[in-house]
Amino acid sequence: MSEYTAKDYKKGQPRWCPGCGDHFFLASLHKAMAEIGVAPHNVAVISGIGCSSRLPHYMATYGMNTIHGRAAAIATGCKVSNPNLSVWQISGDGDGLAIGGNHFIHANRRNIDLKMILLNNRIYGLTKGQYSPTSPRGFVSKSSPYGTVEDPFRPAELCFGARGHFFARAVATDAEGTVNILKSAHAHKGAAVCEILQNCVIFNDGTHEAVYTKEGRAKNAIYLKHGEKMVFGENNEFGLVQEGFGVKVVTIGQDGYTMDDVLVHDAHCEDNTLQLKLAMMEYPVALGVIRDVEAPTYDDAVNAQIEEVKAAKKYHNFAELLETNDTWEVK
Amino acid sequence: MADNLKVEELDQVVVRFSGDSGDGMQLAGNIFSTISATVGNGICTFPDYPADIRAPQGSLTGVSGFQVSIAADKAFTPGDKCDVLVAMNPAALKTQYKFCKPTSSIIIDVDSFKKADLEKAQFEATDAAGAIAEMGIKQDVIEVPVTSMVKDVLADSGMDPKAMLKCRNMLALGLVCYIFNRDLSIAEKFLREKFAKKPAIAENNIKVIHAGYDFGANTHASVSHTYNVVSKQTPAKKGRYMDINGNKATAYGLIAAAEKAGLRLYLGSYPITPATDVLHELSKHKSLGVTTVQCEDEIAGCASALGASFAGALGVTSTSGPGICLKSEAMNLAVIMELPLVVIDVQRGGPATGLPTKSEQTDLLQCLFGRNGETPMPVIAATSPADCFESAYAACKIALEHMTPVVFMSDAYIANGSEAFKLPNLAEYPAINPPYVPESLKGTWTPYMRDERDVRYWAVPGREGFAHILGGLEKDSKTGAISTNPENHDLMCRLRQSKIDKIQVPDVEVEGDKDDADLLIVGFGGTYGHLHAAMDEMRAAGKKVALAHFRYINPLPKNTAEVMKKYKKVVVAEQNLGQFAAFLRMKVDGFAPAQFNEVKGQPFVVSELVAAFNKLI
Ligand SMILES: Cc1ncc(C[n+]2csc(CCOP(=O)(O)OP(=O)(O)O)c2C)c(N)n1
Ligand code: SF4
Ligand SMILES: [Mg+2]
C-alpha cells in the first residue's frame, strides 16, 4: 500500500470551465498518483501551453508549465539528467501534436521514460476554438467556418509510426479506466502515451459523445485487457474477430461465430499490426492499454553508456582530461 | 646540412599550407605549429576549409588551407599574408597565391602540374613553368618533385600507391621544417603518438619527413638562406602547454565549470557549422559523466537543456546564429523561470544559412535583444581560442550563481583557429556556488524569494518540502502563483533586469598607451588578436594608440563609460555593420565613436585596420 493519498498530490483550485473534461482527468491523476505512491517531491509534471497544460499548477509535485509545444523536449532533458524523477508530460492535442509534433514523435522513437498524457478535445481550447490536428475533416470552427479541408492525425497512428511502445486510451469521465491506464503507464518503463478523450464544453461539446457516458461506453466502447477475449456490449454479446487483414465486430453465437473465434488481446506483442487496427476502430472505441511492449529506454541507455565509458577510460576528472593531450613545457 | 647557409633570425613568420581537401594540409600545418609551440614560439593558426565536403579532386573549390603564424613572443593573428606558401596542386596555387607577399617563397609539387591537373584548375598552361608565367608570379617558386620523391622513399615499404600519396603532405612539411630550422624529433614524437596503433604508418611518414628535410639541405632548397624564430622567454610564459582551438576550449571550459560546481553537465544540441565540434568534443567525454543529447532540432536542444537545469544539472546548448533563432523562445522561458542555462553561439556569416563556414560578429544584437518581452540576458564574448576556456567557465559561473540564461559568443574564426593554451589548474579557479535554497527556509520558501543580489533560490526536484511550479506565465513576486497584476508584472520585469545589472564583471582593461592615446580602438570577442596586432603596428610606428577589448558585453564593465570618454578619438571596429557601437551608444550617454565595419566572412586584415585607423589620428 502506498503511504500517500490523493490529497498529497492536490494543490490549488482549478480554473477550467465547469464541466470541462480536464477536471475529471485531474481527479483521476491525483488518485492514480496516490496509488502509484511515488513521493510528490520525486515527481515532475511538465506541460506546454493550453487549457490542459494548466494542470501542473494543480499538482503538489515539482512542475513546469512551459511554452507551447515544448513539454516533451523539456521533459527529455529533465528525465535524462535526473533519472530518479518520475516525469509526466501534460499536453493538449495542439500542444502535443501540432506545434509539438516533432518532439512527440522523437520522444517515442527514443523511448524516453516519460508518461506522455495527451488531453484530446479535438480543438484549441485556450485560444478559443480553432480546429486542431485531431479535428475531423470538414470540422467547422472559428478558423474553419466552411469546414476543414484536411485529414486529422490519429494519435495512436502517430505513436506507432514513431515506434512507440506504449499506447493507452481512456475517457476523461471514466475514473476507473483513467486510473488504470495511468498506473499501467507508470509501470511501463519507457515513453507511455495515454490519450485522454476529453470534452471541451465550450468549443467542441459532444466530440466524444458516443463514449463519454457510462451508458455510451457500454454500447460503443471495448475495454481491452491483455490476455482476455475482446468482447463488449451491454451483455458482452459482441466480440472482435479477425477477417482477412482486418478486425470485425460479430455477435457471438450468430453467423457461426463462437467465443473460440473471438480474439484474445495481446498488448505485449512486438508486432503492432493488430494493436493499430484496434486503436483505429471507430466502433467500438478501444479503451485501456492497447500496446505495452518492453524495450530499452533512452535514459537508461544514456546513463549505462556513461558508466561503461567510465569503466573503460582512464580519465575521470578535468585534470586527467588535460593529460590526454599532447603537451609541452616552456621552462 | 645547412651549415654554409646564412640563418636569418625573425620575430614572426607565416606559413600557409594549401592543397586538395584530401592532401592532409591541416595535419601538416598542425604538426608544424606544434613543433614551433614546443620550442616556445607563440602560435596562431587559421584553418581555411572549403565549404564543399568533397569537391571534385583538384578543383578550385576543393582547396583546403591552413595558415600558421609563429612568433618569438605572442602571435596575435595568423598573419594577413604568408612568407611561405605551400601549394600541393595547381588549384591551390591559383586560389592561394593571393595570400603571398612580394617576398614570399612558394613551394609547389611540380609532379602535380601535369596537363590534366592544370586543366582541372582551369589553366591554359600545360606545365608548371607555364602556369607560373600565366599567373604572372614573380616570387621564388621552389619546384619540388614531391610525388615522385614520396614514391621513391616508400618504394620498399609495401604500401600501395594510393596510400603512398597520402604521405605527400609530410614531404612538404619536412622541407618547411628545413627552411625554418625546426627540430624533426618533435614531429617524430607527434607522429608516433598519433599513429600509436599503426606504427608502420608512423615510421613511413617519418621517413618521408626526413626526405623532405634532406631535399632542402641537399639542394639548399633553391633558397639563399634559412630562417629561425627564436622564442622569447618570459617567466610568465613558464608552464605546460597544449595546442587548442576555440571549440575544444569551449568544451573544456564547460567541463571544468561543471566539475567545479559539482554538477552534471548536460548538452542538448543539434549539429550546425561551425558549432558542431563542441558537441563532438563533449560527446567523447562520457567518462567525466558528460551527457550529450543530439536532439531533433535546436528548439529541443535548448528546451531539453533547460529541463536538465530544472532537474539540477548544468544545462548547456550549443549552436550558431540560425539555431539561436530557433532557441530564442526557450531562452526566454529560462529568463522568466530564472534557471541557469548556457547558450553557446559560434557565429557564422548570416542572414539565414548565409556563409556557413565563415566568421562574423553579426549575432550580437540578436543575442542581446532577440526575444519578446523584457528579457535581459548576460552576454559574454570570447576573445581568442584559448580564451574560450575562460569565457565558457565565466558564463557557467554567472548562469549558476545568478540563476539566469547566459549567452556565450564565439565565432568561426576563434572556434577553428588554435593557439597555445597553458594547462589550467582548476584549483586556482574561483568556486562556483549555486544559490541552493537553504533547508532553514522549508515551510516559508516560495519560488521567487530573492537574496540581496535579486537572485532567487534553486530548489532541485527530489528535495522534500520544496515542491514548486515554474513556468512561462508571469508569477506573483511573493507567492509564486500565476499573476496578471499590472504592478506585479512591472515589478518582476524590474527585478529580472536588476538581477542582471547586479552581476559583477571585471573592468575592461585598456592596453597600449592608456594614459595618452590619440586613438582608442574598441572591439569585442574574436577580433582581439587582429585589433591588438594593429595597435602594436601603429605604436611601433610612433603613434599613440590604446585598445579596450570587451569580453563582458552584458552587463558592461562598470568602467565602460569612463574609458569611452577618456580618449579624444575612439573607433569601434567590428565584423558587422555597427552592432557593438550601437549598444555602446545606448549605454554610454553622448558617446559618438568612429566605426570600422566589415562583413566579409574573413578575419580582419591588420594592414587594412592600420590604414583605416591612421586616417583617424
Ligand atoms: C508559440 C505560441 N504559439 C501560439 C500560442 C497560442 N496558443 C496557446 S494554447 C494554443 C492551442 C491550445 O490547444 P491544445 O494544445 O489542444 O490545448 P487545449 O487548450 O485544447 O487544452 C495556442 C495556439 C502560444 N501560446 N505560443
Ligand atoms: S475552453 Fe474547453 S478545454 Fe478550455 S477549460 Fe473550457 S471547457 Fe476546458
Ligand atoms: Mg485541445
Side-chain angles (χ1 to χ4, degrees):
Chain A
M1 265 299 291
S2 151
E3 52 178 305
Y4 297 98
T5 66
K7 234 178 79 209
D8 295 316
Y9 297 88
K10 234 185 215 175
K11 189 176 81 182
Q13 191 57 51
R15 302 216 347 227
W16 294 303
C17 306
C20 172
D22 291 341
H23 289 289
F24 300 99
F25 172 73
L26 177 67
S28 298
L29 181 62
H30 288 147
K31 193 155 179 277
M33 285 277 173
E35 291 185 27
I36 289 164
V38 175
H41 61 267
N42 288 325
V43 175
V45 183
I46 300 171
S47 66
I49 294 289
C51 292
S52 41
S53 286
R54 278 281 181 128
L55 187 141
H57 290 278
Y58 314 127
M59 300 294 295
T61 62
Y62 283 87
M64 277 191 278
N65 168 202
T66 67
I67 41 178
H68 198 28
R70 313 305 166 205
I74 293 171
T76 294
C78 196
K79 181 69 191 180
V80 172
S81 61
N82 195 341
N84 296 329
L85 295 175
S86 173
V87 182
W88 296 69
Q89 178 207 336
I90 308 290
S91 285
D93 40 322
D95 193 69
L97 302 185
I99 189 166
N102 200 26
H103 310 308
F104 178 87
I105 55 177
H106 286 281
N108 273 290
R109 174 182 65 79
R110 292 196 183 98
N111 198 26
I112 300 174
D113 190 15
L114 301 178
K115 310 305 137 194
M116 305 171 73
I117 311 300
L118 192 78
L119 287 143
N120 185 3
N121 53 11
R122 299 180 180 160
I123 192 91
Y124 288 176
L126 190 68
T127 46
K128 301 191 165 42
Q130 301 77 24
Y131 65 93
S132 94
T134 54
S135 307
R137 179 181 276 269
F139 183 72
V140 173
S141 73
K142 283 188 190 155
S143 56
S144 56
Y146 308 109
T148 65
V149 291
E150 56 191 89
D151 279 330
F153 271 148
R154 288 180 284 190
E157 206 174 10
L158 210 56
C159 167
F160 287 13
R163 313 188 65 170
H165 288 87
F166 184 101
F167 183 87
R169 188 186 285 138
V171 179
T173 42
D174 174 8
E176 190 189 338
T178 305
V179 170
N180 281 343
I181 67 161
L182 294 176
K183 284 161 69 180
S184 301
H186 176 264
H188 173 88
K189 280 283 290 164
V193 176
C194 297
E195 182 189 11
I196 307 296
L197 305 182
Q198 173 241 335
N199 193 34
C200 168
V201 291
I202 307 295
F203 298 112
N204 200 10
D205 198 21
T207 183
H208 303 298
E209 199 165 21
V211 291
Y212 218 60
T213 58
K214 197 163 184 182
E215 298 70 46
R217 285 192 292 280
K219 281 206 209 93
N220 302 315
I222 178 167
Y223 282 94
L224 295 173
K225 290 202 184 77
H226 176 75
E228 292 186 15
K229 289 274 182 190
M230 299 188 202
V231 292
F232 71 105
E234 281 158 313
N235 303 304
N236 282 341
E237 63 272 38
F238 304 117
L240 296 180
V241 302
Q242 196 171 352
E243 191 181 62
F245 272 41
V247 171
K248 171 173 119 168
V249 177
V250 299
T251 307
I252 299 161
Q254 269 182 22
D255 306 325
Y257 290 107
T258 68
M259 199 52 130
D260 287 346
D261 299 312
V262 175
L263 288 165
V264 172
H265 182 45
D266 185 358
H268 302 334
C269 180
E270 186 88 40
D271 179 340
N272 64 24
T273 315
L274 269 180
Q275 295 157 354
L276 182 62
K277 292 204 179 300
L278 295 170
M280 303 287 279
M281 291 184 306
E282 277 167 23
Y283 168 79
V285 174
L287 301 175
V289 177
I290 297 170
R291 177 169 172 81
D292 180 0
V293 174
E294 253 185 71
T297 72
Y298 180 82
D299 37 302
D300 273 353
V302 163
N303 288 296
Q305 192 175 54
I306 287 176
E307 292 313 313
E308 275 165 34
V309 179
K310 271 185 187 168
K313 295 272 177 195
K314 292 203 177 67
Y315 62 98
H316 299 101
N317 58 42
F318 180 67
E320 289 168 4
L321 168 66
L322 288 176
E323 295 303 326
T324 61
N325 293 283
D326 291 323
T327 65
W328 66 87
E329 181 106 30
V330 176
K331 295 197 181 92
Chain B
M1 296 289 262
D3 38 23
N4 54 352
L5 268 188
K6 206 173 123 218
V7 178
E8 191 179 329
E9 299 283 331
L10 296 174
D11 276 344
Q12 179 144 21
V13 74
V14 177
V15 182
R16 189 173 179 98
F17 294 88
S18 65
D20 208 51
S21 301
D23 283 345
M25 290 298 101
Q26 307 294 328
L27 179 62
N30 249 317
I31 297 179
F32 185 69
S33 57
T34 303
I35 298 173
S36 303
T38 310
V39 298
N41 287 145
I43 54 166
C44 185
T45 72
F46 177 55
D48 197 3
Y49 302 106
D52 300 338
I53 306 284
R54 290 273 183 271
Q57 201 233 334
S59 66
L60 295 171
T61 53
V63 174
S64 164
F66 185 99
Q67 187 161 314
V68 52
S69 108
I70 58 180
D73 206 355
K74 188 171 165 60
F76 279 101
T77 77
D80 293 352
K81 298 204 161 179
C82 61
D83 299 296
V84 173
L85 172 69
V86 176
M88 298 298 279
N89 66 11
L93 183 66
K94 193 168 222 175
T95 58
Q96 308 294 296
Y97 177 66
K98 61 175 180 274
F99 296 104
C100 286
K101 306 173 184 171
T103 54
S104 300
S105 302
I106 301 169
I107 299 172
I108 62 166
D109 175 8
V110 68
D111 293 336
S112 68
F113 278 68
K114 304 258 164 61
K115 188 163 178 284
D117 308 311
L118 287 157
E119 267 169 15
K120 283 186 204 157
Q122 296 163 24
F123 277 101
E124 309 264 311
T126 52
D127 61 9
I132 292 164
E134 188 177 324
M135 288 182 65
I137 295 175
K138 301 270 182 310
Q139 289 92 334
D140 279 345
V141 178
I142 308 168
E143 297 184 19
V144 185
V146 175
T147 306
S148 43
M149 281 174 61
V150 169
K151 284 186 178 157
D152 278 355
V153 174
L154 297 176
D156 302 330
S157 66
M159 286 169 92
D160 64 79
K162 226 174 148 190
M164 282 183 194
L165 292 182
K166 287 233 158 86
C167 300
R168 287 166 69 233
N169 56 345
M170 293 298 119
L171 198 114
L173 174 63
L175 177 55
V176 173
C177 285
Y178 165 76
I179 296 174
F180 293 101
N181 285 285
R182 303 281 104 169
D183 182 355
L184 289 191
S185 64
I186 302 163
E188 289 177 15
K189 181 170 167 267
F190 185 100
L191 285 165
R192 290 203 174 101
E193 271 163 24
K194 181 172 167 69
F195 296 108
K197 294 210 176 92
K198 295 169 185 159
I201 293 189
E203 295 315 315
N204 287 331
N205 274 301
I206 289 168
K207 254 194 223 163
V208 175
I209 289 197
H210 278 281
Y213 192 97
D214 295 345
F215 173 84
N218 297 334
T219 61
H220 291 167
S222 319
V223 290
S224 51
H225 45 300
T226 64
Y227 306 92
N228 196 11
V229 180
V230 181
S231 100
K232 274 202 196 98
Q233 307 293 8
T234 59
K237 266 174 116 181
K238 270 193 189 160
R240 278 177 73 212
Y241 288 82
M242 61 182 276
D243 181 37
I244 204 160
N245 68 36
N247 275 341
K248 184 166 173 174
T250 302
Y252 276 30
L254 300 172
I255 290 172
E259 184 170 316
K260 196 76 171 189
L263 291 176
R264 179 176 194 152
L265 175 58
Y266 174 98
L267 178 82
S269 190
Y270 188 80
I272 182 168
T273 304
T276 315
D277 281 340
V278 176
L279 168 64
H280 292 168
E281 186 64 32
L282 288 174
S283 300
K284 285 193 241 170
H285 303 308
K286 299 209 188 304
S287 68
L288 306 176
V290 178
T291 306
T292 54
V293 175
Q294 182 177 313
C295 293
E296 54 272 27
D297 55 26
E298 281 89 348
I299 298 171
C302 190
S304 72
L306 189 57
S309 284
F310 175 74
L314 167 55
V316 180
T317 186
S318 57
T319 191
S320 186
I324 297 289
C325 296
L326 294 180
K327 290 175 197 289
S328 56
E329 197 192 16
M331 288 162 71
N332 240 355
L333 181 63
V335 170
I336 197 167
M337 296 209 297
E338 303 193 41
L339 280 171
L341 175 73
V342 176
V343 180
I344 293 170
D345 177 14
V346 185
Q347 298 169 92
R348 66 189 219 179
T353 309
L355 305 172
T357 60
K358 304 298 176 198
S359 198
E360 283 180 12
Q361 299 182 302
T362 42
D363 296 349
L364 180 65
L365 293 181
Q366 179 190 24
C367 291
L368 281 164
F369 303 116
R371 295 169 291 277
N372 67 304
E374 289 290 347
T375 53
M377 200 174 289
V379 174
I380 297 178
T383 60
S384 75
D387 183 64
C388 286
F389 177 83
E390 307 296 334
S391 292
Y393 188 92
C396 295
K397 182 170 160 71
I398 290 176
L400 289 166
E401 294 188 339
H402 295 266
M403 298 291 284
T404 176
V406 175
V407 183
F408 163 92
M409 299 183 80
S410 145
D411 60 50
Y413 168 68
I414 60 173
N416 293 323
S418 71
E419 65 180 334
F421 174 55
K422 195 171 185 173
L423 302 195
N425 177 1
L426 200 47
E428 290 165 2
Y429 277 71
I432 297 179
N433 296 312
Y436 297 116
V437 58
E439 205 55 26
S440 59
L441 286 181
K442 198 187 241 178
T444 56
W445 177 78
T446 57
Y448 290 90
M449 266 169 97
R450 292 167 199 275
D451 66 14
E452 68 291 349
R453 303 165 304 153
D454 292 330
V455 176
R456 71 171 200 91
Y457 296 100
W458 197 3
V460 173
R463 276 185 75 179
E464 203 179 341
F466 293 98
H468 65 284
I469 179 162
L470 300 176
L473 290 161
E474 185 64 283
K475 300 292 192 301
D476 184 84
S477 68
K478 298 209 168 56
T479 62
I482 296 173
S483 165
T484 53
N485 178 305
E487 303 307 323
N488 177 73
H489 177 53
D490 185 82
L491 174 67
M492 287 298 266
C493 286
R494 290 171 198 276
L495 282 169
R496 287 187 288 261
Q497 180 68 51
S498 141
K499 177 178 87 168
I500 304 307
D501 294 342
K502 285 182 178 175
I503 295 170
Q504 298 289 329
V505 303
D507 277 356
V508 63
E509 195 192 331
V510 181
E511 297 178 79
D513 300 304
K514 51 174 140 250
D515 296 321
D516 55 352
D518 295 319
L519 176 70
L520 176 74
I521 305 168
V522 173
F524 79 97
T527 51
Y528 174 69
H530 289 84
L531 297 179
H532 200 287
M535 174 184 74
D536 286 348
E537 212 172 302
M538 291 173 77
R539 293 181 71 210
K543 302 271 166 37
K544 295 274 183 210
V545 189
L547 169 67
H549 199 83
F550 286 78
R551 179 207 263 171
Y552 293 92
I553 313 289
N554 194 35
L556 280 167
K558 295 275 177 294
N559 66 337
T560 302
E562 183 198 324
V563 170
M564 294 305 111
K565 291 189 160 167
K566 182 170 168 185
Y567 300 90
K568 270 178 273 178
K569 191 97 208 178
V570 181
V571 62
V572 181
E574 46 189 327
Q575 292 175 316
N576 56 45
L577 295 182
Q579 301 191 11
F580 189 47
F583 183 60
L584 286 171
R585 280 200 301 270
M586 171 183 166
K587 293 288 178 178
V588 179
D589 253 355
F591 181 55
Q595 289 183 206
F596 181 89
N597 304 106
E598 222 176 61
V599 208
K600 295 181 176 169
Q602 289 294 329
F604 278 145
V605 176
V606 174
S607 56
E608 292 174 12
L609 289 172
V610 170
F613 296 164
N614 271 330
K615 283 194 196 133
L616 295 171
I617 302 186

